[in-house]
PDB file of all heavy atoms in Angstrom:
ATOM      1  N   SER U1301      -4.762 -37.429 -36.205  1.00 56.00           N
ATOM      2  CA  SER U1301      -3.363 -37.334 -35.802  1.00 56.00           C
ATOM      3  C   SER U1301      -2.499 -37.078 -37.026  1.00 56.00           C
ATOM      4  O   SER U1301      -2.687 -37.681 -38.074  1.00 56.00           O
ATOM      5  CB  SER U1301      -2.922 -38.619 -35.096  1.00 56.00           C
ATOM      6  OG  SER U1301      -2.998 -39.708 -35.990  1.00 56.00           O
ATOM      7  N   ALA U1302      -1.576 -36.182 -36.889  1.00 75.00           N
ATOM      8  CA  ALA U1302      -0.693 -35.836 -37.997  1.00 75.00           C
ATOM      9  C   ALA U1302       0.313 -36.956 -38.192  1.00 75.00           C
ATOM     10  O   ALA U1302       0.958 -37.385 -37.253  1.00 75.00           O
ATOM     11  CB  ALA U1302       0.016 -34.524 -37.702  1.00 75.00           C
ATOM     12  N   GLN U1303       0.406 -37.428 -39.417  1.00 81.00           N
ATOM     13  CA  GLN U1303       1.362 -38.476 -39.740  1.00 81.00           C
ATOM     14  C   GLN U1303       2.524 -37.876 -40.498  1.00 81.00           C
ATOM     15  O   GLN U1303       2.339 -37.028 -41.361  1.00 81.00           O
ATOM     16  CB  GLN U1303       0.721 -39.556 -40.596  1.00 81.00           C
ATOM     17  CG  GLN U1303      -0.269 -40.398 -39.869  1.00 81.00           C
ATOM     18  CD  GLN U1303      -0.811 -41.486 -40.778  1.00 81.00           C
ATOM     19  OE1 GLN U1303      -0.641 -41.454 -41.988  1.00 81.00           O
ATOM     20  NE2 GLN U1303      -1.470 -42.452 -40.184  1.00 81.00           N
ATOM     21  N   ALA U1304       3.696 -38.351 -40.168  1.00 89.00           N
ATOM     22  CA  ALA U1304       4.887 -37.911 -40.874  1.00 89.00           C
ATOM     23  C   ALA U1304       4.934 -38.578 -42.250  1.00 89.00           C
ATOM     24  O   ALA U1304       4.353 -39.638 -42.470  1.00 89.00           O
ATOM     25  CB  ALA U1304       6.132 -38.270 -40.073  1.00 89.00           C
ATOM     26  N   ASP U1305       5.628 -37.944 -43.164  1.00 94.00           N
ATOM     27  CA  ASP U1305       5.811 -38.464 -44.513  1.00 94.00           C
ATOM     28  C   ASP U1305       7.082 -39.303 -44.550  1.00 94.00           C
ATOM     29  O   ASP U1305       8.183 -38.785 -44.407  1.00 94.00           O
ATOM     30  CB  ASP U1305       5.913 -37.292 -45.491  1.00 94.00           C
ATOM     31  CG  ASP U1305       6.141 -37.742 -46.921  1.00 94.00           C
ATOM     32  OD1 ASP U1305       5.905 -38.930 -47.232  1.00 94.00           O
ATOM     33  OD2 ASP U1305       6.573 -36.908 -47.733  1.00 94.00           O
ATOM     34  N   PHE U1306       6.925 -40.604 -44.735  1.00 97.00           N
ATOM     35  CA  PHE U1306       8.061 -41.519 -44.809  1.00 97.00           C
ATOM     36  C   PHE U1306       8.373 -41.929 -46.243  1.00 97.00           C
ATOM     37  O   PHE U1306       9.377 -42.574 -46.493  1.00 97.00           O
ATOM     38  CB  PHE U1306       7.780 -42.774 -43.971  1.00 97.00           C
ATOM     39  CG  PHE U1306       7.847 -42.537 -42.495  1.00 97.00           C
ATOM     40  CD1 PHE U1306       6.733 -42.099 -41.801  1.00 97.00           C
ATOM     41  CD2 PHE U1306       9.020 -42.734 -41.791  1.00 97.00           C
ATOM     42  CE1 PHE U1306       6.784 -41.875 -40.434  1.00 97.00           C
ATOM     43  CE2 PHE U1306       9.079 -42.511 -40.434  1.00 97.00           C
ATOM     44  CZ  PHE U1306       7.965 -42.085 -39.751  1.00 97.00           C
ATOM     45  N   ALA U1307       7.516 -41.578 -47.191  1.00 96.00           N
ATOM     46  CA  ALA U1307       7.692 -42.004 -48.575  1.00 96.00           C
ATOM     47  C   ALA U1307       8.956 -41.393 -49.168  1.00 96.00           C
ATOM     48  O   ALA U1307       9.291 -40.250 -48.901  1.00 96.00           O
ATOM     49  CB  ALA U1307       6.478 -41.601 -49.407  1.00 96.00           C
ATOM     50  N   GLY U1308       9.647 -42.204 -49.963  1.00 96.00           N
ATOM     51  CA  GLY U1308      10.840 -41.717 -50.649  1.00 96.00           C
ATOM     52  C   GLY U1308      12.022 -42.637 -50.422  1.00 96.00           C
ATOM     53  O   GLY U1308      11.888 -43.748 -49.906  1.00 96.00           O
ATOM     54  N   THR U1309      13.172 -42.143 -50.819  1.00 97.00           N
ATOM     55  CA  THR U1309      14.411 -42.903 -50.692  1.00 97.00           C
ATOM     56  C   THR U1309      15.286 -42.246 -49.643  1.00 97.00           C
ATOM     57  O   THR U1309      15.506 -41.025 -49.679  1.00 97.00           O
ATOM     58  CB  THR U1309      15.142 -42.969 -52.052  1.00 97.00           C
ATOM     59  OG1 THR U1309      14.265 -43.599 -53.001  1.00 97.00           O
ATOM     60  CG2 THR U1309      16.422 -43.762 -51.957  1.00 97.00           C
ATOM     61  N   TRP U1310      15.777 -43.049 -48.717  1.00 97.00           N
ATOM     62  CA  TRP U1310      16.584 -42.599 -47.582  1.00 97.00           C
ATOM     63  C   TRP U1310      17.887 -43.388 -47.585  1.00 97.00           C
ATOM     64  O   TRP U1310      17.895 -44.581 -47.879  1.00 97.00           O
ATOM     65  CB  TRP U1310      15.837 -42.875 -46.277  1.00 97.00           C
ATOM     66  CG  TRP U1310      14.474 -42.283 -46.228  1.00 97.00           C
ATOM     67  CD1 TRP U1310      13.312 -42.833 -46.717  1.00 97.00           C
ATOM     68  CD2 TRP U1310      14.097 -41.032 -45.669  1.00 97.00           C
ATOM     69  NE1 TRP U1310      12.255 -41.996 -46.491  1.00 97.00           N
ATOM     70  CE2 TRP U1310      12.708 -40.886 -45.839  1.00 97.00           C
ATOM     71  CE3 TRP U1310      14.804 -40.020 -45.021  1.00 97.00           C
ATOM     72  CZ2 TRP U1310      12.016 -39.768 -45.399  1.00 97.00           C
ATOM     73  CZ3 TRP U1310      14.116 -38.916 -44.576  1.00 97.00           C
ATOM     74  CH2 TRP U1310      12.743 -38.792 -44.762  1.00 97.00           C
ATOM     75  N   SER U1311      19.009 -42.725 -47.250  1.00 97.00           N
ATOM     76  CA  SER U1311      20.280 -43.452 -47.324  1.00 97.00           C
ATOM     77  C   SER U1311      21.321 -42.910 -46.351  1.00 97.00           C
ATOM     78  O   SER U1311      21.210 -41.791 -45.844  1.00 97.00           O
ATOM     79  CB  SER U1311      20.838 -43.378 -48.752  1.00 97.00           C
ATOM     80  OG  SER U1311      21.119 -42.038 -49.096  1.00 97.00           O
ATOM     81  N   VAL U1312      22.310 -43.751 -46.125  1.00 97.00           N
ATOM     82  CA  VAL U1312      23.496 -43.378 -45.366  1.00 97.00           C
ATOM     83  C   VAL U1312      24.693 -44.001 -46.090  1.00 97.00           C
ATOM     84  O   VAL U1312      24.576 -45.087 -46.675  1.00 97.00           O
ATOM     85  CB  VAL U1312      23.420 -43.862 -43.893  1.00 97.00           C
ATOM     86  CG1 VAL U1312      23.357 -45.376 -43.803  1.00 97.00           C
ATOM     87  CG2 VAL U1312      24.578 -43.315 -43.073  1.00 97.00           C
ATOM     88  N   GLU U1313      25.809 -43.302 -46.076  1.00 96.00           N
ATOM     89  CA  GLU U1313      27.012 -43.778 -46.742  1.00 96.00           C
ATOM     90  C   GLU U1313      28.013 -44.237 -45.688  1.00 96.00           C
ATOM     91  O   GLU U1313      28.181 -43.574 -44.663  1.00 96.00           O
ATOM     92  CB  GLU U1313      27.608 -42.643 -47.589  1.00 96.00           C
ATOM     93  CG  GLU U1313      28.711 -43.082 -48.501  1.00 96.00           C
ATOM     94  CD  GLU U1313      29.156 -41.947 -49.405  1.00 96.00           C
ATOM     95  OE1 GLU U1313      29.634 -40.916 -48.884  1.00 96.00           O
ATOM     96  OE2 GLU U1313      29.020 -42.092 -50.632  1.00 96.00           O
ATOM     97  N   TRP U1314      28.659 -45.387 -45.935  1.00 96.00           N
ATOM     98  CA  TRP U1314      29.684 -45.915 -45.045  1.00 96.00           C
ATOM     99  C   TRP U1314      31.010 -45.927 -45.798  1.00 96.00           C
ATOM    100  O   TRP U1314      31.165 -46.625 -46.795  1.00 96.00           O
ATOM    101  CB  TRP U1314      29.352 -47.335 -44.605  1.00 96.00           C
ATOM    102  CG  TRP U1314      28.064 -47.472 -43.851  1.00 96.00           C
ATOM    103  CD1 TRP U1314      27.520 -46.594 -42.969  1.00 96.00           C
ATOM    104  CD2 TRP U1314      27.159 -48.579 -43.912  1.00 96.00           C
ATOM    105  NE1 TRP U1314      26.346 -47.081 -42.466  1.00 96.00           N
ATOM    106  CE2 TRP U1314      26.091 -48.298 -43.026  1.00 96.00           C
ATOM    107  CE3 TRP U1314      27.135 -49.784 -44.618  1.00 96.00           C
ATOM    108  CZ2 TRP U1314      25.028 -49.183 -42.822  1.00 96.00           C
ATOM    109  CZ3 TRP U1314      26.072 -50.658 -44.413  1.00 96.00           C
ATOM    110  CH2 TRP U1314      25.047 -50.354 -43.526  1.00 96.00           C
ATOM    111  N   CYS U1315      31.968 -45.147 -45.316  1.00 96.00           N
ATOM    112  CA  CYS U1315      33.289 -45.077 -45.951  1.00 96.00           C
ATOM    113  C   CYS U1315      34.364 -45.472 -44.936  1.00 96.00           C
ATOM    114  O   CYS U1315      34.179 -45.331 -43.729  1.00 96.00           O
ATOM    115  CB  CYS U1315      33.560 -43.664 -46.464  1.00 96.00           C
ATOM    116  SG  CYS U1315      32.378 -43.112 -47.707  1.00 96.00           S
ATOM    117  N   SER U1316      35.495 -45.912 -45.427  1.00 95.00           N
ATOM    118  CA  SER U1316      36.605 -46.301 -44.565  1.00 95.00           C
ATOM    119  C   SER U1316      37.413 -45.060 -44.178  1.00 95.00           C
ATOM    120  O   SER U1316      37.896 -44.333 -45.050  1.00 95.00           O
ATOM    121  CB  SER U1316      37.514 -47.295 -45.284  1.00 95.00           C
ATOM    122  OG  SER U1316      38.678 -47.532 -44.516  1.00 95.00           O
ATOM    123  N   LYS U1317      37.547 -44.837 -42.881  1.00 94.00           N
ATOM    124  CA  LYS U1317      38.383 -43.724 -42.414  1.00 94.00           C
ATOM    125  C   LYS U1317      39.860 -44.072 -42.558  1.00 94.00           C
ATOM    126  O   LYS U1317      40.691 -43.204 -42.779  1.00 94.00           O
ATOM    127  CB  LYS U1317      38.057 -43.402 -40.956  1.00 94.00           C
ATOM    128  CG  LYS U1317      36.661 -42.862 -40.777  1.00 94.00           C
ATOM    129  CD  LYS U1317      36.342 -42.616 -39.319  1.00 94.00           C
ATOM    130  CE  LYS U1317      34.903 -42.149 -39.203  1.00 94.00           C
ATOM    131  NZ  LYS U1317      34.436 -42.097 -37.838  1.00 94.00           N
ATOM    132  N   ASN U1318      40.180 -45.364 -42.443  1.00 94.00           N
ATOM    133  CA  ASN U1318      41.569 -45.808 -42.536  1.00 94.00           C
ATOM    134  C   ASN U1318      42.076 -45.874 -43.962  1.00 94.00           C
ATOM    135  O   ASN U1318      43.273 -45.734 -44.206  1.00 94.00           O
ATOM    136  CB  ASN U1318      41.742 -47.175 -41.871  1.00 94.00           C
ATOM    137  CG  ASN U1318      41.418 -47.126 -40.400  1.00 94.00           C
ATOM    138  OD1 ASN U1318      41.562 -46.087 -39.753  1.00 94.00           O
ATOM    139  ND2 ASN U1318      40.966 -48.253 -39.864  1.00 94.00           N
ATOM    140  N   ASN U1319      41.181 -46.132 -44.902  1.00 93.00           N
ATOM    141  CA  ASN U1319      41.581 -46.241 -46.296  1.00 93.00           C
ATOM    142  C   ASN U1319      40.535 -45.556 -47.180  1.00 93.00           C
ATOM    143  O   ASN U1319      39.669 -46.216 -47.758  1.00 93.00           O
ATOM    144  CB  ASN U1319      41.762 -47.713 -46.694  1.00 93.00           C
ATOM    145  CG  ASN U1319      42.430 -47.860 -48.041  1.00 93.00           C
ATOM    146  OD1 ASN U1319      42.570 -46.898 -48.800  1.00 93.00           O
ATOM    147  ND2 ASN U1319      42.838 -49.079 -48.365  1.00 93.00           N
ATOM    148  N   PRO U1320      40.639 -44.225 -47.309  1.00 92.00           N
ATOM    149  CA  PRO U1320      39.631 -43.485 -48.077  1.00 92.00           C
ATOM    150  C   PRO U1320      39.622 -43.809 -49.568  1.00 92.00           C
ATOM    151  O   PRO U1320      38.710 -43.386 -50.280  1.00 92.00           O
ATOM    152  CB  PRO U1320      39.995 -42.023 -47.829  1.00 92.00           C
ATOM    153  CG  PRO U1320      41.363 -42.010 -47.281  1.00 92.00           C
ATOM    154  CD  PRO U1320      41.643 -43.361 -46.710  1.00 92.00           C
ATOM    155  N   ASN U1321      40.615 -44.559 -50.071  1.00 94.00           N
ATOM    156  CA  ASN U1321      40.629 -44.936 -51.484  1.00 94.00           C
ATOM    157  C   ASN U1321      39.647 -46.062 -51.798  1.00 94.00           C
ATOM    158  O   ASN U1321      39.341 -46.303 -52.959  1.00 94.00           O
ATOM    159  CB  ASN U1321      42.037 -45.358 -51.907  1.00 94.00           C
ATOM    160  CG  ASN U1321      42.993 -44.180 -51.867  1.00 94.00           C
ATOM    161  OD1 ASN U1321      42.597 -43.036 -52.104  1.00 94.00           O
ATOM    162  ND2 ASN U1321      44.244 -44.444 -51.540  1.00 94.00           N
ATOM    163  N   LEU U1322      39.167 -46.758 -50.760  1.00 95.00           N
ATOM    164  CA  LEU U1322      38.205 -47.833 -50.986  1.00 95.00           C
ATOM    165  C   LEU U1322      36.842 -47.245 -51.351  1.00 95.00           C
ATOM    166  O   LEU U1322      36.477 -46.173 -50.888  1.00 95.00           O
ATOM    167  CB  LEU U1322      38.062 -48.691 -49.725  1.00 95.00           C
ATOM    168  CG  LEU U1322      39.297 -49.475 -49.282  1.00 95.00           C
ATOM    169  CD1 LEU U1322      39.013 -50.205 -47.974  1.00 95.00           C
ATOM    170  CD2 LEU U1322      39.714 -50.464 -50.372  1.00 95.00           C
ATOM    171  N   ASP U1323      36.095 -47.980 -52.161  1.00 96.00           N
ATOM    172  CA  ASP U1323      34.727 -47.563 -52.487  1.00 96.00           C
ATOM    173  C   ASP U1323      33.891 -47.548 -51.217  1.00 96.00           C
ATOM    174  O   ASP U1323      34.015 -48.438 -50.368  1.00 96.00           O
ATOM    175  CB  ASP U1323      34.083 -48.530 -53.486  1.00 96.00           C
ATOM    176  CG  ASP U1323      34.694 -48.419 -54.872  1.00 96.00           C
ATOM    177  OD1 ASP U1323      35.197 -47.335 -55.214  1.00 96.00           O
ATOM    178  OD2 ASP U1323      34.663 -49.430 -55.606  1.00 96.00           O
ATOM    179  N   CYS U1324      33.054 -46.544 -51.093  1.00 96.00           N
ATOM    180  CA  CYS U1324      32.155 -46.467 -49.944  1.00 96.00           C
ATOM    181  C   CYS U1324      31.029 -47.474 -50.116  1.00 96.00           C
ATOM    182  O   CYS U1324      30.618 -47.795 -51.222  1.00 96.00           O
ATOM    183  CB  CYS U1324      31.557 -45.067 -49.812  1.00 96.00           C
ATOM    184  SG  CYS U1324      32.775 -43.813 -49.366  1.00 96.00           S
ATOM    185  N   GLY U1325      30.541 -47.943 -49.001  1.00 96.00           N
ATOM    186  CA  GLY U1325      29.348 -48.771 -48.979  1.00 96.00           C
ATOM    187  C   GLY U1325      28.206 -47.916 -48.474  1.00 96.00           C
ATOM    188  O   GLY U1325      28.313 -46.695 -48.400  1.00 96.00           O
TER     189      GLY U1325
END
């Protein structure tokens, strides 16, 4: 069975829509 490659670094950025001057998480 073919396995997907999950190795590596994966991310999502969370930013404030109401206050874009804040640092994103």
Side-chain angles (χ1 to χ4, degrees):
S1301 63
Q1303 290 183 346
D1305 179 17
F1306 287 87
T1309 301
W1310 305 85
S1311 63
V1312 63
E1313 190 174 62
W1314 299 324
C1315 299
S1316 172
K1317 294 177 183 171
N1318 298 332
N1319 191 348
N1321 293 328
L1322 295 177
D1323 289 333
C1324 292

